Amino acid sequence: MSPAHPHEFIPPGSRFHALASPFPMKRGGVLHGARIAYETWGTLSPARDNAVLILTGLSPDAHAASSAADPTPGWWEAMLGPGKPIDSDRWFVVCVNSLGSCKGSTGPASIDPATGQAYLLSFPELSIEDIADAAAEVVRGLGIERLACVIGNSMGGMTALSLLARHRRIARAHINISGSARALPFSIAVRSLQREAIRLDPNWNGGEYDDATYPESGMRIARKLGVITYRSALEWDGRFGRVRLDESASAEDDPFGLEFQVESYLEGHARRFVRRYDPNSYLYLSRSMDWFDLADQAGGDTLAALAALAGNGVEQALAIGANTDILFPVQQQQEVAEGLARGGAEAEFIGMDSPQGHDAFLVDFERFGPAVRGFLDRL
Amino acid sequence: MSPAHPHEFIPPGSRFHALASPFPMKRGGVLHGARIAYETWGTLSPARDNAVLILTGLSPDAHAASSAADPTPGWWEAMLGPGKPIDSDRWFVVCVNSLGSCKGSTGPASIDPATGQAYLLSFPELSIEDIADAAAEVVRGLGIERLACVIGNSMGGMTALSLLARHRRIARAHINISGSARALPFSIAVRSLQREAIRLDPNWNGGEYDDATYPESGMRIARKLGVITYRSALEWDGRFGRVRLDESASAEDDPFGLEFQVESYLEGHARRFVRRYDPNSYLYLSRSMDWFDLADQAGGDTLAALAALAGNGVEQALAIGANTDILFPVQQQQEVAEGLARGGAEAEFIGMDSPQGHDAFLVDFERFGPAVRGFLDRL
């Protein structure tokens, strides 16, 4: 295992799985001595048939919910725990931190054992498929032959589809939340611009920064652009309207400083993110999404690629998202359900009237909670 | 008139109107010796009753279409000219360059006669109302008491509403294209981020840059973010899909360089914009949109503020936009028509099924051309 690096941010309840060494990467190269951080909730049944895997979006760590090892609230606290929609009294739940992340799994900020230095941009090209393969190793390492369900949110929805495609019979059921089978050009454009903002920051310096020269400006722009595309115009009009900040909070002496509440909201998001995420990790994970196209393995036919997942053992599926999502539009979740159904799976799509856009699954528990609970209850 | 400044970009067919000196600004301060660039097409009738005024978005100059003075195509070439939807055989058309722009009208890059130096950030705070007042002076200066119609696109839609509110009986009719009566928080967030990208560029330097230190990175980000929000995910999926660049066009030695066609498209837009627009002008005009709320003068009631325009002499109105516009959503054009109708004007709203988003009026002439022509023909 790599020693901690200043740009790794590891939740205290993390456990670690050592990946096979060498761990081969899809686009070339291998990792030596790499690891995946994960957390678990609940108890694996004697038949080992009650395991649920959660795959995350770009930025979350493995701390999806509080536990004895880490009682602080997780990023999906309302969804996961005893009696909650993903009920840890029934399910043994595993959440893995993506390969390439800076939240405990091996990534660009980790030490390359071959050099004793951080990988930085010498980290091999990272694809969604690599993230999926690493997650599969964690599942196998926990003695689980077949998951009861794999749940993927956002980027994790891509990772889940890749996992199902590459690891036959790894799961009986799948919930795809605000995910997609391929990156759309609009989303590629947004992510490309986020990466460009980081790369244009002189402090990024080809990936060679330290705490004193962290590319804060680039990360601020990238995060704020993310937040803008994660939400929706509709929600913000109702939430912020044209309300101004108090005079004390606005910058009187800065002619182009904060003035509206919506600007302060973005500023808060940027402050909570910047310096708590490794910029190189961000670049690698962001690019992996652009590259993802499940149909690469099916001659460009997305529905055929999805149908093949049923042949790989997916019997039941639920694809859900928010009608206001501009980054992973609901048509993409509809496509996931349609493809799986075409292959013979019992697949349902629900487009939620959540106003919160792509982020709805992180906040609109009134809609997403019952949908997930209902599906899992029927398994 | 100010001498040309290196960051002014003036179309060769421009004419200039000297504004009243001092010219008072809504939020305080005055301009001395300021001017507005404009172009005209067609002939003013002896009764001076065939004048149509065009008010533009943030970046365009006054060169809306080719003319004897400047035969190069204008930014609205397909819409304006003999026999075109805005028919210069019938109408005397005036397009003004906004106050604060760098395309010939006085703005932050112009010389302050009091100091002999460029204004830069000493330019007074610029509001949509100031842009409207300056346009009204051009109209009066051309001997026009009452316009047959004022057409405003995007930011120009805001300027047109402000003109109608502040200058009683200045126009009999109005076409509002992809405009709005107030800035929404989503649009404020996007523009705030564009401005932040410019301000975070070390070369911006509090507005004191020159050709050697032009804030190119900030302007690149601002422009690309603009292009992303001006278009729509739907259009781009059909247009670009996941098509890659030729290997020769992609940057093999740049691990995070251009790879997809959509990235190259954004890059082309950035190249055509950067160094051809003054960053300080961009900041001033962008902020003026955030501040705009027609209802400021009507106790916060947008429909009442719009209804009052009918009382100010607007007899007929058309509000149109694209259903895919995320920056000025069609609900805002619908609101413009509803408010004007409430005041007694004959007002129609059309939400076009254009896939091109906010930019549709610049490209979807099959839809926008007949709508504008039909309205003008009925006047």
Side-chain angles (χ1 to χ4, degrees):
Chain A
M1 284 186 210
S2 319
H5 177 277
H7 294 108
E8 290 181 324
F9 307 87
I10 308 176
S14 299
R15 296 165 64 190
F16 298 95
H17 174 85
L19 292 177
S21 188
F23 179 86
M25 303 285 275
K26 181 198 172 200
R27 296 174 64 100
V30 297
L31 294 175
H32 292 277
R35 71 181 192 184
I36 295 295
Y38 67 95
E39 296 194 26
T40 69
W41 298 261
T43 306
L44 188 59
S45 62
R48 298 174 182 267
D49 63 356
N50 70 331
V52 170
L53 173 66
I54 297 173
L55 297 166
T56 80
L58 187 158
S59 55
D61 53 35
H63 190 57
S66 55
S67 63
D70 181 356
T72 62
W75 56 265
W76 229 15
E77 188 71 24
M79 291 291 283
L80 168 59
K84 294 190 177 169
I86 306 169
D87 186 352
S88 56
D89 285 340
R90 176 179 176 195
W91 305 107
F92 175 64
V93 184
V94 183
C95 181
V96 304
N97 178 237
S98 301
L99 181 66
S101 170
C102 55
K103 306 283 189 175
S105 296
T106 297
S110 304
I111 301 299
D112 177 357
T115 64
Q117 305 289 318
Y119 285 101
L120 308 182
L121 298 200
S122 75
F123 196 78
E125 290 186 347
L126 178 74
S127 68
I128 291 290
E129 287 81 354
D130 303 318
I131 302 169
D133 289 353
E137 278 205 24
V138 177
V139 170
R140 304 301 188 209
L142 289 167
I144 299 160
E145 191 186 333
R146 198 161 188 216
L147 294 160
C149 186
V150 53
I151 301 174
N153 304 323
S154 183
M155 182 184 86
M158 293 175 160
T159 312
L161 294 174
S162 180
L163 179 81
L164 295 167
R166 296 166 70 83
H167 300 273
R168 190 170 158 72
R169 293 185 60 76
I170 196 165
R172 286 199 305 273
H174 170 46
I175 305 179
N176 198 292
I177 303 180
S178 305
S180 80
R182 67 182 174 104
L184 291 177
F186 180 83
S187 314
I188 291 173
V190 168
R191 286 190 291 262
S192 175
L193 184 53
Q194 290 173 310
R195 296 194 299 272
E196 184 170 0
I198 294 169
R199 292 160 58 224
L200 282 174
D201 186 326
N203 278 0
W204 179 63
N205 189 31
E208 301 188 21
Y209 44 81
D210 59 26
D211 278 351
T213 61
Y214 181 97
E216 183 161 333
S217 295
M219 288 294 278
R220 286 175 61 83
I221 301 288
R223 182 58 172 175
K224 288 190 176 184
L225 177 52
V227 173
I228 286 173
T229 58
Y230 296 158
R231 294 289 176 139
S232 84
L234 175 69
E235 182 207 3
W236 284 3
D237 196 25
R239 187 165 166 191
F240 303 114
R242 295 184 45 79
V243 176
R244 254 75 167 188
L245 294 172
D246 293 341
E247 278 186 26
S248 60
S250 65
E252 268 298 311
D253 53 348
D254 179 357
F256 293 96
L258 305 182
E259 176 168 350
F260 291 93
Q261 274 196 353
V262 68
E263 294 177 283
S264 171
Y265 167 82
L266 285 182
E267 184 67 20
H269 270 281
R271 286 197 187 145
R272 287 190 297 276
F273 186 75
V274 166
R275 293 188 179 274
R276 297 189 196 173
Y277 206 89
D278 175 54
N280 289 332
S281 265
Y282 193 95
L283 295 175
Y284 272 86
L285 286 166
S286 165
R287 187 181 55 179
S288 77
M289 278 189 268
D290 290 4
W291 280 336
F292 183 64
D293 186 355
L294 189 72
D296 279 346
Q297 298 164 346
D301 184 336
T302 301
L303 289 173
L306 287 161
L309 304 185
N312 261 8
V314 179
E315 297 162 6
Q316 289 167 276
L318 172 68
I320 57 181
N323 294 328
T324 48
D325 190 341
I326 58 172
L327 208 58
F328 288 71
V330 283
Q331 290 82 356
Q332 296 207 285
Q333 292 101 58
Q334 191 165 20
E335 183 180 56
V336 167
E338 188 185 337
L340 279 157
R342 182 175 295 192
E346 186 186 308
E348 185 186 7
F349 158 71
I350 310 173
M352 306 282 186
D353 284 327
S354 308
Q356 298 95 345
H358 185 61
D359 264 0
F361 70 89
L362 293 172
V363 280
D364 188 5
F365 303 118
E366 284 190 23
R367 288 189 175 86
F368 283 77
V372 169
R373 182 193 295 273
F375 179 82
L376 291 175
D377 281 355
R378 290 190 299 274
L379 292 184
Chain B
M1 284 187 210
S2 319
H5 177 275
H7 293 108
E8 290 182 323
F9 308 87
I10 307 176
S14 299
R15 296 165 64 192
F16 298 95
H17 174 85
L19 291 177
S21 188
F23 179 85
M25 303 285 276
K26 181 197 173 200
R27 295 174 63 99
V30 297
L31 295 175
H32 291 277
R35 71 183 192 183
I36 295 295
Y38 68 95
E39 297 194 24
T40 69
W41 299 260
T43 306
L44 187 60
S45 63
R48 299 173 181 267
D49 61 356
N50 71 329
V52 170
L53 173 67
I54 297 174
L55 297 166
T56 81
L58 186 157
S59 55
D61 53 34
H63 189 58
S66 55
S67 62
D70 180 357
T72 61
W75 57 264
W76 228 16
E77 188 72 22
M79 290 291 282
L80 169 59
K84 293 187 178 169
I86 306 169
D87 187 350
S88 56
D89 286 339
R90 176 180 177 195
W91 305 109
F92 174 65
V93 183
V94 183
C95 181
V96 303
N97 177 236
S98 300
L99 181 67
S101 169
C102 55
K103 305 284 188 175
S105 295
T106 297
S110 304
I111 300 300
D112 177 357
T115 65
Q117 306 288 317
Y119 284 102
L120 310 180
L121 298 200
S122 74
F123 196 78
E125 290 185 347
L126 178 73
S127 68
I128 292 290
E129 287 82 355
D130 302 318
I131 302 170
D133 289 352
E137 279 205 25
V138 176
V139 170
R140 303 303 188 208
L142 289 166
I144 299 160
E145 191 186 331
R146 198 161 187 215
L147 293 160
C149 186
V150 54
I151 302 174
N153 303 324
S154 185
M155 181 184 88
M158 294 175 159
T159 311
L161 294 175
S162 180
L163 179 79
L164 295 168
R166 296 166 68 85
H167 299 274
R168 188 169 160 72
R169 294 185 60 76
I170 198 166
R172 285 197 307 272
H174 168 46
I175 305 179
N176 198 292
I177 302 180
S178 304
S180 79
R182 66 183 175 105
L184 291 176
F186 180 83
S187 313
I188 291 173
V190 168
R191 285 191 291 261
S192 174
L193 185 53
Q194 290 173 308
R195 295 194 299 270
E196 183 170 1
I198 295 169
R199 292 161 56 224
L200 283 174
D201 187 326
N203 278 0
W204 179 63
N205 187 32
E208 300 187 19
Y209 44 83
D210 58 27
D211 279 350
T213 61
Y214 182 96
E216 183 159 335
S217 296
M219 288 294 278
R220 287 175 59 84
I221 302 289
R223 182 58 171 176
K224 287 189 175 183
L225 177 52
V227 173
I228 286 173
T229 56
Y230 296 159
R231 294 289 177 140
S232 85
L234 175 69
E235 182 207 2
W236 284 2
D237 196 25
R239 185 166 167 190
F240 303 115
R242 294 184 45 80
V243 176
R244 254 74 167 189
L245 293 173
D246 294 341
E247 279 185 27
S248 59
S250 65
E252 268 298 311
D253 52 349
D254 179 358
F256 293 98
L258 305 181
E259 177 169 349
F260 292 93
Q261 274 196 354
V262 68
E263 294 178 282
S264 171
Y265 167 81
L266 284 183
E267 184 67 19
H269 269 282
R271 284 195 188 147
R272 287 191 297 277
F273 186 74
V274 166
R275 294 190 177 273
R276 297 189 195 172
Y277 206 90
D278 176 54
N280 291 331
S281 266
Y282 193 95
L283 295 174
Y284 272 86
L285 285 166
S286 165
R287 186 180 57 178
S288 77
M289 278 189 270
D290 290 4
W291 280 337
F292 183 63
D293 186 354
L294 189 72
D296 279 346
Q297 298 165 345
D301 184 335
T302 302
L303 289 174
L306 287 161
L309 304 185
N312 261 9
V314 179
E315 296 162 8
Q316 289 167 277
L318 172 69
I320 57 181
N323 293 329
T324 50
D325 189 340
I326 59 174
L327 208 58
F328 287 71
V330 283
Q331 291 81 356
Q332 297 207 285
Q333 291 101 58
Q334 191 164 21
E335 182 180 57
V336 167
E338 187 185 338
L340 280 157
R342 183 175 295 192
E346 186 186 309
E348 185 186 8
F349 159 71
I350 311 173
M352 305 282 186
D353 283 328
S354 309
Q356 298 96 344
H358 186 62
D359 265 0
F361 69 90
L362 293 172
V363 281
D364 188 3
F365 303 118
E366 285 189 22
R367 288 190 175 86
F368 283 76
V372 168
R373 184 193 294 275
F375 179 82
L376 291 175
D377 281 356
R378 290 191 299 275
L379 291 184

